[in-house]
Amino acid sequence: MDEQHCTELLEQHRIRPTVNRILVAKALAAAGRPMSLSELERALLSVDKSGISRALSLFRENRLVHVIEGGSDGVRYELCLSHHGYVDDDMHVHFYCERCHKTFCIDNTPVPIVNLPGGYRMLSVNYIVKGICPDCGNP
């Protein structure tokens, strides 16, 4: 994803594009899979940990990232490619490999519909399948 596309994505989510925010968005897009904070730190040597954390916090507030919990190494983040910051139309299943400890997006598998009782309103879903990825499953 180039800088212009990152800028447009930030603006669609009501986030003012700054150099650090664009760098974090580009790193998440380039990874092609959810990243942990420590992975982002290693990928973005020019941005300190607090700058990355502030960007991720703002992205989360404005629904620009999915926050994936459930792997053994803490929280991971991935860009939400929905068309605006009001509704997340990019929810999908994630897969956590218990051997290599990587989390993968399963883009073509939507999150199953959950019928909540009256009065409950869903804001996000964290749907993760755990197992062994194809790379780790092949001897």
Side-chain angles (χ1 to χ4, degrees), residues 17-32:
T18 64
V19 172
N20 282 356
R21 293 171 188 165
I22 291 169
L23 288 172
V24 172
K26 282 177 72 173
L28 287 169

Side-chain angles (χ1 to χ4, degrees), residues 58-120:
L58 186 62
F59 291 2
R60 186 177 189 167
E61 289 171 22
N62 290 282
R63 298 178 185 265
L64 179 58
V65 290
H66 290 146
V67 179
I68 299 106
E69 303 167 20
S72 67
D73 58 348
V75 176
R76 292 181 170 271
Y77 304 89
E78 72 169 324
L79 277 184
C80 174
L81 300 176
S82 67
H83 299 94
H84 46 73
Y86 301 107
V87 176
D88 185 355
D89 57 7
D90 183 34
M91 286 192 265
H92 53 271
V93 171
H94 294 93
F95 184 90
Y96 175 77
C97 179
E98 293 186 339
R99 284 206 183 135
C100 66
H101 307 288
K102 292 181 183 176
T103 301
F104 303 90
C105 296
I106 310 296
D107 292 319
N108 298 330
T109 305
V111 172
I113 295 172
V114 178
N115 293 314
L116 297 173
Y120 291 90

